[in-house]
């Protein structure tokens, strides 16, 4: 007897809502789609009728038999946990009274029970629910909840208020009637509170599961299944994460990361749609997303190709024109290679891709599958000259075709990619000597990698490029350079993208370039092969972390690598044997010489005292000194007058240390790029450090300032020090003069007042605080804090 005949149909069953038709059917349907099987194929392999499987998926069968579920589990490749979940759902049967609550945060915040929205009254409850759903399944710390609920500083009774809001949230999430399944709730953890619910109770968790499933599908036979998973995943989105929430919650790192995953899913969805010749289906989604991400070139490139593939060439060209104008107006830059190649594909839809003749043996084995998430990095296939639809070979040309559309000819010259070095470069002789060890005569004593780390604006790139130009003759096989954009407004480059660039520069033929992903490992292997036996210099500028750098490291000992970063990159030192070079600000004499190289050494000599004062106001930071010197030249001003202007600005000095019309030439912008990479708790600690009364402080004093435990304070200070936004010396932490001004800019009045109040109270509450306070500044710690308050 079939399952359909042996089970009672659910009178409330119907497609579209798990809570009204039970969870077994929708879950089996999603598992089947993940496996890439049709209903007929899955039913045949499981030994049941197609009608039975259809009725189960549509919720007409309340409790499928155990042996049927086990057969389906084997057919669909379910794990033991997934099978156990299905069996548990089958035992309880579908709900007949009301649905379990679901939290929707991919758009405006919605709490729903079944299909019925549940009103969430009050901004505090909405903030708490949004934060818990964002962090799910991880807990939200007590401090994190406090910062979200009270961005301007918490009241004294905030612990009891948090408990009250948590209790109200539990009531909201509780079921309206008797349920055998456990409803979502909020549980206490050692550090805060956690939303306890299955992942499919939160739309972000459901989206992440679907995206992960799609990214696991690589073979060409999986294209349909991958497209189905991505389509279902993107349907979860109704707008930006927590679109109706306060800005402090929308800017939470978890919200930013979720929006980035949405973009990643959209890129993969568009690529898959183009490969399946369904470009028209990708247009509405891409058109919506380019409004949310108006400067994302990858989204625009795919929208151009999708429109062109749908016969909308004029609309595709308009997309390119609008993006080009926006990049010029807002950033002062030209469109990148990817967007220009997509534009060229629209202008020349019938341009043939060169075929590989029979006698041309591939230099690299081509992968069997071709379903990369980014078609711009797939390897070239043959293409018929008359084909105008943007197929996979067309997508390949986005990264392969030069901007002018011409094909390269002749042997590839050695790469010489070093950017223009700094014209005015002073000091750094000890650091230059350390870099010279990369070209030491004794190979056994020669390091392979050097990492130059330091604060924003301290001159890391200037040192690396200056040394590279000075020693370029020692690398006869060329120099490779890339800005990894680890701390930049545009997204950081992925190792796969950089490997593709480097392989082209090294002369790898197009058909040898591996697919990506998962061809990053294959590309790295080819990269190391081409570098074997060569003496080549690789400069990896502005790295985010060690993981971004490692795939770009050559295996050949004759090659040298110079990495610059605002992070410490301790992993490269410990695991990869890198020599670490930490840059500090310039000393007064070096700063004065740098100023003289820009504003004129005669002018500096004529106003030597004022020049020294100007360097002091700039905190010895090379970027600030260069900007001040450039403004002196532009205004034809004397140094003393400019010093008076900067000194009179007080904490607004950063408004003066910028060059009009050049966003890169601004000290505040350099600091901001590092500050925004910090987690929220570390940002708060950095802001509070601007309120310390003395030049530096200990961990205990920082804990008093922030109202945290010493252990939490130490972890936050270490995180900020790793970003080189705070100076650490012998267990004491302090801010340089310009970073202190920047921290004071960021803090609100209420937050600053509360921090200073904590300082005074901590001084009055006991000897332990008194000792740490006395050690932080000359004189009385409490009186200093009190005078500032």
């Amino acid at each position: 007897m079939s399952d359909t005949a042996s089970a009672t149909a659910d009178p409330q069953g119907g497609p579209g809502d798990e809570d009204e038709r039970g969870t077994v059917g929708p879950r089996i349907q999603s598992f089947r789609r993940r496996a890439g099987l049709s209903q007929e194929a899955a039913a045949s392999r499981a030994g049941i009728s197609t009608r039975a499987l259809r009725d189960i998926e549509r919720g007409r069968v309340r409790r499928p038999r155990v042996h049927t579920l086990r057969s389906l589990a084997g057919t669909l490749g379910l794990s033991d946990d997934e099978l156990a979940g299905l069996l548990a759902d089958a035992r309880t049967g579908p709900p007949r009274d009301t649905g379990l609550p679901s939290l929707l945060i991919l758009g405006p915040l919605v709490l729903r029970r079944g299909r019925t929205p549940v009103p969430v009254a009050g901004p505090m409850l909405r903030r708490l629910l949004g934060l818990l759903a964002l962090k799910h399944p991880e807990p939200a710390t007590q401090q994190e909840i406090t910062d979200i609920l009270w961005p301007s500083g918490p009241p004294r009774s905030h612990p009891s208020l948090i408990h009250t809001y948590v209790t109200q949230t539990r009531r909201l999430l509780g079921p309206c009637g008797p349920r055998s399944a456990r409803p979502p709730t909020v549980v206490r953890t050692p550090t805060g509170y956690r939303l306890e619910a299955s992942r499919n109770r939160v739309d972000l968790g459901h989206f992440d599961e679907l995206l992960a499933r799609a990214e696991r599908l690589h073979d060409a036979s999986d294209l349909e299944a991958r497209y189905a998973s991505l389509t279902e995943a993107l349907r979860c989105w109704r707008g930006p994460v927590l679109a109706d929430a306060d800005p402090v919650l929308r800017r939470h790192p978890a919200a930013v990361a979720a929006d980035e995953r949405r973009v990643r899913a959209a890129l993969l969805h568009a690529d898959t749609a183009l490969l399946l010749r369904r470009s028209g289906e990708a247009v509405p989604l891409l058109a919506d997303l380019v409004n949310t991400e108006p400067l994302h070139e990858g989204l625009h490139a795919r929208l151009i190709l999708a429109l062109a593939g749908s016969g909308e060439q004029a609309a595709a060209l308009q997309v390119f024109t609008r993006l080009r104008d926006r990049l010029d107006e807002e950033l002062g830059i030209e469109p990148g290679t990817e967007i220009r190649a997509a534009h060229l594909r629209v202008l020349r839809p019938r341009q043939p891709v060169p075929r590989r003749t029979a006698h041309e043996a591939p230099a690299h084995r081509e992968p069997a599958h071709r379903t990369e998430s980014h078609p711009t990095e797939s390897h070239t296939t043959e293409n018929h000259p008359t084909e105008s639809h943007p197929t996979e070979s067309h997508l390949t040309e986005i990264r392969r075709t030069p901007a002018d559309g011409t094909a390269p000819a002749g042997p590839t010259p050695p790469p010489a990619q070093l950017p223009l070095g700094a014209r005015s470069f002073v000091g750094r002789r000890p650091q230059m000597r350390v870099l010279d060890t990369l070209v030491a005569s004794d190979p056994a004593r020669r390091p392979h990698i050097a990492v130059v780390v330091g604060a924003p604006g301290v001159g890391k790139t200037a040192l690396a490029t200056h040394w590279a130009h000075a020693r370029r003759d020692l690398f006869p096989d060329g120099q490779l350079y890339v800005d990894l954009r680890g701390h930049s407004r545009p997204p950081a480059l992925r190792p796969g993208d950089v490997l593709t660039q480097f392989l082209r520069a090294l002369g790898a033929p197009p058909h040898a370039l591996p697919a990506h992903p998962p061809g990053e490992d294959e590309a790295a292997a080819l990269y190391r092969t081409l570098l074997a036996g060569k003496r080549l210099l690789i400069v990896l500028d502005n790295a985010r972390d060690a993981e971004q750098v490692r795939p770009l490291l050559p295996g050949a000992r004759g090659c040298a690598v110079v990495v610059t970063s605002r992070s410490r990159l301790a992993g490269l030192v410990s695991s990869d044997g890198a020599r670490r070079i930490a840059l500090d600000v310039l000393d007064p004499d070096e700063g004065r010489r740098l100023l003289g190289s820009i504003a004129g050494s005669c002018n500096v000599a004529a106003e030597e005292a004022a020049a020294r004062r100007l360097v002091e106001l700039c905190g010895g930071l090379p970027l600030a000194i260069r900007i001040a010197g450039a403004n002196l030249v532009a205004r034809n001003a004397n140094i003393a007058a400019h010093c008076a202007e900067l000194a009179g600005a007080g904490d607004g000095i950063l408004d003066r240390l910028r060059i009009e019309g050049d966003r890169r030439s601004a000290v505040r912008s350099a600091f901001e790029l590092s500050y925004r990479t910090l987690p929220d708790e570390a940002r708060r600690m950095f802001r509070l450090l601007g309120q310390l009364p003395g030049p530096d402080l200990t961990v205990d004093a920082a804990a008093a300032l922030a109202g945290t435990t010493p252990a939490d304070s130490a972890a936050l200070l270490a995180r900020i020090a790793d970003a080189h936004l705070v100076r650490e010396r012998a267990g004491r932490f302090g801010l340089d003069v310009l970073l202190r001004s920047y921290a004071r800019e960021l803090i609100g009045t209420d937050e600053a007042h509360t921090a200073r109040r904590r300082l005074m109270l901590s001084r009055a509450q006991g000897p332990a605080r008194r000792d740490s306070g006395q050690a932080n500044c000359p004189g009385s710690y409490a009186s200093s804090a009190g005078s500032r308050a």
Side-chain angles (χ1 to χ4, degrees):
M1 182 182 295
S2 71
D3 286 283
T4 306
S6 62
T8 304
D10 182 6
Q12 298 181 5
D17 195 303
E18 291 183 16
D19 290 324
E20 294 192 1
R21 63 176 179 171
T23 59
V24 175
R27 293 180 67 186
I28 289 178
Q29 184 182 61
S30 65
F31 290 145
R32 176 177 59 76
R33 288 176 175 171
R34 180 181 70 184
L37 297 176
S38 64
Q39 282 186 336
E40 292 78 6
S44 175
R45 296 182 187 183
I48 62 175
S49 68
T50 303
R51 179 184 176 187
L53 179 57
R54 184 183 302 114
D55 288 344
I56 291 173
E57 290 188 356
R58 292 183 177 179
R60 298 195 186 109
V61 178
R62 293 187 59 194
R63 297 182 181 180
R65 290 184 172 181
V66 172
H67 75 83
T68 300
L69 293 178
R70 292 188 182 277
S71 299
L72 286 170
T75 299
L76 304 179
L78 303 190
S79 66
D80 292 340
D81 291 341
E82 291 170 335
L83 174 59
L86 283 179
L87 294 174
D89 289 343
R91 283 194 298 271
T92 60
R96 301 183 63 86
D97 47 4
T98 183
L100 288 174
S102 299
L103 261 174
L104 310 180
I105 61 172
L106 302 183
L109 175 67
V110 174
L111 176 62
R112 196 176 65 186
R113 184 172 286 110
R115 290 183 178 177
T116 306
V118 179
V120 183
M124 292 303 195
L125 279 183
R126 296 184 69 84
R127 290 176 187 172
L128 181 58
L129 264 177
L131 176 63
L132 293 173
L134 265 181
K135 298 283 290 185
H136 181 261
E138 300 298 323
T141 65
Q142 191 90 6
Q143 187 61 53
E144 199 171 12
I145 295 173
T146 302
D147 291 341
I148 290 296
L149 295 184
W150 297 281
S152 300
R156 186 173 299 177
S157 59
H158 71 275
S160 61
L161 288 174
I162 290 177
H163 180 72
T164 300
Y165 296 139
V166 168
T167 302
Q168 294 174 1
T169 303
R170 287 170 178 155
R171 292 197 196 104
L172 278 175
L173 297 175
C176 292
R179 291 293 303 245
S180 55
R182 185 175 181 180
T185 187
V186 180
V187 297
R188 183 69 187 264
T189 70
T191 58
Y193 292 91
R194 178 174 59 85
L195 177 65
E196 188 173 85
S198 60
R199 290 186 70 87
N200 63 353
R201 292 292 112 203
V202 181
D203 56 355
L204 178 57
H206 185 52
F207 163 78
D208 285 334
E209 285 184 339
L210 292 168
L211 176 58
R213 177 192 309 168
E215 290 179 330
R216 288 194 296 266
L217 300 172
H218 300 302
D219 295 334
S221 59
D222 294 331
L223 277 178
E224 290 286 354
R226 181 168 72 179
Y227 185 75
S229 291
L230 290 167
T231 302
E232 185 179 353
L234 291 168
R235 282 176 183 160
C236 297
W237 289 81
R238 298 165 289 114
V241 177
L242 294 168
D244 59 344
D246 297 329
V248 67
L249 190 53
R250 294 200 307 269
R251 291 195 297 262
H252 191 281
V256 175
D259 281 325
E260 291 174 351
R261 294 198 296 277
R262 181 192 188 187
V263 171
R264 192 170 82 225
L267 294 174
L268 184 55
H269 178 267
D271 295 345
T272 311
L274 290 168
L275 294 174
L276 291 172
R277 296 177 178 249
R278 298 182 187 176
S279 52
E281 298 176 15
V283 169
L285 174 68
L286 291 170
D288 180 57
L289 269 179
V290 296
N291 293 325
T292 305
E293 302 284 344
L295 298 177
H296 197 292
E297 295 194 18
L299 290 172
H300 282 80
R302 285 157 178 82
L303 178 57
I304 290 171
L305 289 177
L307 286 168
S310 305
E312 300 287 342
Q313 281 79 5
L317 295 175
Q318 288 176 0
V319 171
F320 173 81
T321 302
R322 286 196 299 268
L323 177 63
R324 181 191 61 195
D325 295 343
R326 189 180 295 120
L327 290 173
D328 181 56
E329 292 173 5
E330 298 185 17
L331 301 179
I333 61 175
E334 292 292 325
T337 304
E338 185 175 12
I339 196 73
R340 285 188 285 113
H343 180 235
L344 182 65
R345 174 51 51 198
V346 179
L347 295 176
R348 303 181 180 182
R350 296 178 181 270
Q351 181 182 6
V353 177
R355 295 171 176 260
R356 189 172 69 238
T357 58
H359 66 273
E360 291 181 304
H364 188 71
R365 182 182 61 83
E366 299 189 54
H369 51 78
R370 302 289 307 283
T371 59
E372 302 78 13
S373 66
H374 296 280
T376 60
E377 294 153 356
S378 59
H379 59 278
T380 306
T381 58
E382 295 182 359
N383 181 38
H384 295 289
T386 58
E387 184 161 350
S388 60
H389 189 85
T391 60
E392 185 176 12
S393 56
H394 286 170
L395 300 177
T396 301
E397 289 185 78
I398 293 180
R399 293 290 186 121
R400 301 296 158 77
T401 307
D404 59 0
T406 59
T412 304
Q417 299 182 344
L418 294 178
L420 181 67
R423 183 181 63 85
S424 49
F425 185 86
V426 301
R428 308 302 194 194
R429 291 187 178 180
Q431 292 82 8
M432 292 280 285
R433 286 195 292 270
V434 177
L435 286 171
D436 280 340
T437 60
L438 292 173
V439 292
S441 57
D442 184 1
R445 301 173 64 88
R446 185 190 305 155
H448 188 40
I449 311 161
V451 295
V452 182
V453 300
V458 81
K460 303 177 293 294
T461 301
L463 171 64
T465 55
H466 178 77
W467 180 85
H469 278 289
R471 305 293 185 265
R472 63 186 304 168
D473 291 342
L474 300 176
F475 298 96
D477 294 310
Q479 309 89 38
L480 295 172
Y481 172 89
V482 65
D483 178 3
L484 295 174
R485 302 195 308 219
H487 297 85
S488 300
R489 283 182 173 81
L493 292 182
R494 297 169 303 173
D497 295 331
V498 180
L499 286 169
T500 301
Q501 296 176 22
F502 281 178
L503 288 173
R504 285 201 207 97
L506 293 170
H511 61 265
L513 297 179
H516 176 77
E520 183 177 300
D521 292 339
E522 197 173 2
L526 177 58
Y527 170 66
R528 291 190 294 268
T529 300
L530 294 177
L531 292 182
K534 293 187 177 181
R535 286 195 61 108
L536 198 101
L537 173 64
I538 301 106
V539 180
L540 307 175
D541 193 18
N542 195 10
R544 179 188 58 210
D545 51 34
E547 293 306 314
Q548 189 187 24
V549 170
R550 282 198 176 99
L552 310 176
L553 300 179
R557 298 295 299 180
C559 295
V561 182
V562 179
V563 186
T564 73
S565 179
R566 299 185 183 188
S567 301
R568 291 180 174 176
L569 298 185
L572 292 181
V573 177
S574 62
S575 302
D576 301 277
R579 290 289 300 272
R580 184 171 174 271
I581 304 170
L583 284 192
D584 205 343
V585 296
L586 298 174
D587 64 37
D589 289 335
E590 291 175 339
R592 188 166 49 87
R593 291 204 305 273
L594 178 59
L595 182 65
S597 69
I598 299 169
S601 55
C602 295
N603 295 330
V604 170
E607 297 183 81
E608 184 172 350
R612 288 185 178 275
R613 174 60 176 155
L614 182 57
V615 171
E616 180 183 351
L617 287 170
C618 293
L621 191 70
L623 175 62
I625 296 171
R626 291 178 185 276
I627 292 173
N631 285 331
L632 281 172
V633 174
R635 301 171 187 174
N636 197 22
N638 62 65
I639 301 175
H642 196 48
C643 276
E645 180 186 350
L646 292 179
D651 284 343
I653 189 174
L654 298 183
D655 290 328
R656 307 292 198 276
L657 291 175
R658 63 189 181 92
I659 296 176
E660 292 293 340
D662 188 351
R663 183 179 292 183
R664 293 187 178 183
S665 298
V667 174
R668 180 187 287 109
S669 296
F671 291 166
E672 181 187 359
L673 293 173
S674 290
Y675 170 77
R676 70 179 186 176
T677 64
L678 297 174
D680 284 350
E681 293 182 359
R683 291 185 191 181
R684 175 176 176 268
M685 175 65 80
F686 174 77
R687 295 193 300 268
L688 296 177
L689 290 178
Q691 303 301 306
L692 63 93
D696 54 20
L697 81 173
T698 61
V699 169
D700 288 338
L705 184 70
T708 62
T709 65
D712 289 342
S713 175
L716 293 174
L717 289 171
R719 179 67 180 83
I720 302 171
D722 183 66
H724 287 94
L725 290 179
V726 68
R727 184 187 300 276
E728 179 183 5
R729 286 179 179 169
R732 305 181 68 82
F733 299 84
L735 295 178
D736 289 333
V737 57
L738 295 181
L739 281 168
R740 181 181 291 219
S741 295
Y742 179 60
R744 289 174 180 170
E745 276 187 7
L746 298 172
I747 198 167
T749 304
D750 293 341
E751 190 177 28
H753 176 75
T754 304
R756 292 193 293 265
R757 181 179 179 85
R758 280 195 295 262
L759 279 175
M760 291 187 293
L761 292 176
S762 67
R763 176 64 180 86
Q765 284 176 353
R769 292 292 186 196
R770 183 179 300 114
D771 292 341
S772 64
Q774 291 281 23
N776 275 285
C777 61
S780 170
Y781 184 75
S783 63
S784 298
S787 64
R788 290 180 57 80

